[in-house]
Amino acid sequence: MSRRYLLTAFAAALACSAAAGASAQDAVKIGFILPMTGQQQSTGKQEAAAIKLYMAQHGDTVAGKKIELIIRDDAAVPDNTKRIAQELIVNDKVNFLGGFVVTPAALSVAPLSAESKTPEIVTAAGTSIITEKSPYIARTSFTLAQSVVPMADWAADNGIKKVVTMISDYGPGIDAEKSFSAEFKKKGGEIVEAVRFPLASPDFAPFLQRAADQKPDAIFVFVPSGQGGAFVKQFIERGLDKAGIKIIGPGDVVDDDLLNGMGDAVLGTVTAHIYSADHNSPANKAFVDAFEKANNMRPNFMAVGGYDGMHLIYEALKKTGGKTDGDSLIEAIKGMAWESPRGPVSIDPQTRDIIQNVYIRKVEKKNGQLYNVEFATFPAVKDPVKAEQK
Ligand code: PHB
């Protein structure tokens, strides 16, 4: 069936559902689509925990309306994501869609968001292009270029000359590879090899061997949240750390969820990212304490994306006085600014992408636990990919 036909069928279903359900809605429905099973389930678990924490802390009534949260499992399979989004829009008549842990899942829903004028709040996926695919998409996660351009600057300024890039072969990995390589070369660095491996169940060993043979100063790596443990384990097993090769990259590989299990071999690893559980601010200390108490685990950057996504939804409803049409909500979202556990953030009114600090961090031991300790800040970074297009 063609995409056009499917969209037409969706539009027809939408019209019927609007006619049938035109009664006044006192509740606001928020449908989060998250992978609670499958390869990306660690992210689903982090996001769901943060979303529920936000509601527990801020109540379930906003602008006089009751908030109804629906969480559905897509196992990060885009066909599921799309089918579930369609059900949520047509049957449940949700006012917001949220979540989207992998880029293909976020992209699969964009035409439905545009057609039905439903705000799609992307709280996890990071490929730059996502927000361009529907005027009703806004993002509280990050883009890969946001972190990797500062990473390239830091690496070039700190004696790293030869790099092999290693990435998961899909949207965010390709964004990371491109933006890092362009900036690093501009600063005089050399990319000696660019390695790509499949997103699903990668065996990193042969790829790591290829990288090691080049004797680089560092390997720049992007793997999605949840795969860092396996990557680092094989990096160490093959002796790359002992050979003096450093790991650099966006912080996904040394995700707070897994960092403690990686062992002392990762001490000193420098990455660039938007969030560390160790971020030194009262807002973050309160967030981490409450999250750990409620869930018995450390929040990672994905949890913060979910928490901020709920904040964006609550504040948008306050600004519209409870009006729930997509146009009013997306206007309310544009330009919104707040203090996140990660630091100050805002939504770029032009791109609906998040503007945020990027921190350079080093793995250190604190009270017997491993943390990414921030030591330098690139303030208020806009997505460099979109900034370049202007
Ligand atoms: C993505 O699919 O966009 C994605 C997933 C996990 C990450 C980063 C990006 O850690």
Side-chain angles (χ1 to χ4, degrees):
M1 236 185 286
S2 77
R3 204 179 118 119
R4 174 137 301 283
Y5 173 79
L6 277 174
L7 260 184
T8 311
F10 175 70
L14 204 60
C16 288
S17 113
S23 63
Q25 267 202 355
D26 288 328
V28 172
K29 291 190 181 177
I30 306 171
F32 267 86
I33 309 180
L34 294 168
M36 305 310 294
T37 55
Q39 274 220 345
Q40 314 294 329
Q41 60 180 285
S42 60
T43 303
K45 180 187 68 176
Q46 285 274 345
E47 293 243 347
I51 290 158
K52 289 178 187 163
L53 175 65
Y54 190 90
M55 275 190 87
Q57 290 175 330
H58 296 85
D60 62 359
T61 306
V62 182
K65 296 211 169 178
K66 187 98 179 148
I67 303 292
E68 271 179 38
L69 174 68
I70 304 169
I71 297 180
R72 298 276 308 269
D73 175 16
D74 67 350
V77 175
D79 283 347
N80 294 346
T81 322
K82 186 174 179 179
R83 176 181 46 75
I84 294 167
Q86 195 151 343
E87 288 168 11
L88 287 170
I89 294 168
V90 174
N91 301 341
D92 296 290
K93 303 182 181 57
V94 295
N95 304 103
F96 291 92
L97 289 166
F100 314 105
V101 162
V102 292
T103 288
L107 291 175
S108 77
V109 173
L112 305 180
S113 151
E115 179 88 12
S116 64
K117 304 189 177 200
T118 309
E120 176 183 342
I121 312 302
V122 176
T123 62
T127 303
S128 189
I129 202 164
I130 292 171
T131 49
E132 294 171 26
K133 296 297 179 186
S134 159
Y136 298 92
I137 293 180
R139 172 153 47 197
T140 59
S141 43
F142 49 83
T143 72
L144 272 299
Q146 253 175 340
S147 292
V148 308
V149 172
M151 183 76 250
D153 291 345
W154 187 89
D157 290 345
N158 284 274
I160 294 175
K161 295 189 173 65
K162 269 173 71 174
V163 168
V164 172
T165 57
M166 296 186 72
I167 55 121
S168 291
D169 190 5
Y170 78 118
I174 293 164
D175 272 8
E177 180 197 277
K178 277 192 189 155
S179 292
F180 177 83
S181 302
E183 182 73 8
F184 191 58
K185 285 187 204 156
K186 205 164 81 189
K187 290 284 171 84
E190 191 190 351
I191 305 292
V192 287
E193 180 144 13
V195 177
R196 296 179 178 186
F197 38 76
L199 168 63
S201 315
D203 173 10
F204 299 115
F207 300 104
L208 280 164
Q209 192 55 52
R210 247 172 78 194
D213 290 346
Q214 296 288 345
K215 301 194 176 359
D217 299 319
I219 289 178
F220 169 91
V221 60
F222 167 76
V223 288
S225 177
Q227 288 190 1
F231 183 89
V232 168
K233 185 163 173 276
Q234 293 188 21
F235 182 90
I236 295 164
E237 275 172 10
R238 303 201 82 77
L240 272 70
D241 59 327
K242 299 252 161 42
I245 300 171
K246 298 198 162 23
I247 289 176
I248 57 172
D252 310 63
V253 66
V254 283
D255 183 338
D256 273 300
D257 207 14
L258 302 170
L259 183 60
N260 249 329
M262 293 182 187
D264 288 357
V266 292
L267 281 168
T269 300
V270 174
T271 52
H273 217 206
I274 52 131
Y275 178 70
S276 164
D278 187 59
H279 179 67
N280 189 8
S281 74
N284 186 50
K285 294 235 174 340
F287 170 70
V288 172
D289 283 352
F291 189 95
E292 287 184 341
K293 204 170 280 166
N295 302 292
N296 212 10
M297 64 180 177
R298 193 194 279 189
N300 70 0
F301 63 106
M302 293 299 198
V304 175
Y307 194 76
D308 283 335
M310 282 301 272
H311 179 84
L312 191 73
I313 291 170
Y314 271 45
E315 292 303 311
L317 285 166
K318 287 184 195 167
K319 267 175 97 174
T320 64
K323 265 175 68 182
T324 53
D325 63 284
D327 288 310
S328 302
L329 288 172
I330 205 73
E331 277 316 306
I333 282 169
K334 290 177 186 171
M336 198 181 279
W338 69 99
E339 169 78 15
S340 157
R342 66 187 108 174
V345 299
S346 67
I347 301 296
D348 187 329
Q350 266 81 49
T351 63
R352 291 160 276 103
D353 235 326
I354 189 162
I355 302 174
Q356 57 193 329
N357 293 349
V358 171
Y359 307 93
I360 309 294
R361 321 90 51 82
K362 183 188 273 178
V363 179
E364 290 178 17
K365 204 171 248 181
K366 279 186 160 183
N367 307 320
Q369 293 202 39
L370 299 180
Y371 281 100
N372 294 297
V373 178
E374 296 166 350
F375 64 89
T377 305
F378 289 70
V381 179
K382 286 189 182 191
D383 176 27
V385 175
K386 291 190 202 74
E388 228 164 64
Q389 286 164 357
K390 300 241 154 64

